[in-house]
Amino acid sequence: MPHLSLAYHGLAEIYTQQGQLQKAIDTYRHITEIEPDDSDAQKALNNLERLKRASQTTQ
């Protein structure tokens, strides 16, 4: 069900907790595509992208 954004939020959180940042980012991007006004998803996406960039520069 591609439009169940709440379920996608849960999935993205699981990916984040497992350290699978790219999967979490991809899931939050999907949420922002199906629900463009979802500010929580946009905020989480921005935070994860920033975290990913920071982890890449320290490696």
Side-chain angles (χ1 to χ4, degrees):
M1 304 292 290
H3 295 290
L4 293 178
S5 63
L6 186 58
Y8 281 111
H9 273 280
L11 181 60
E13 284 299 313
I14 290 169
Y15 285 143
T16 301
Q17 291 174 7
Q18 291 177 344
Q20 298 182 48
L21 296 184
Q22 189 57 55
K23 285 186 178 184
I25 288 169
D26 293 343
T27 303
Y28 278 122
R29 281 186 184 145
H30 181 72
I31 296 169
T32 61
E33 290 170 6
I34 62 174
E35 296 287 340
D37 296 330
D38 190 326
S39 62
D40 290 333
Q42 189 61 51
K43 195 179 307 181
L45 177 59
N46 291 339
N47 289 338
L48 285 173
E49 287 176 333
R50 193 174 17 238
L51 181 63
K52 184 178 176 188
R53 280 192 304 273
S55 70
Q56 289 174 339
T57 59
T58 60
Q59 292 180 358

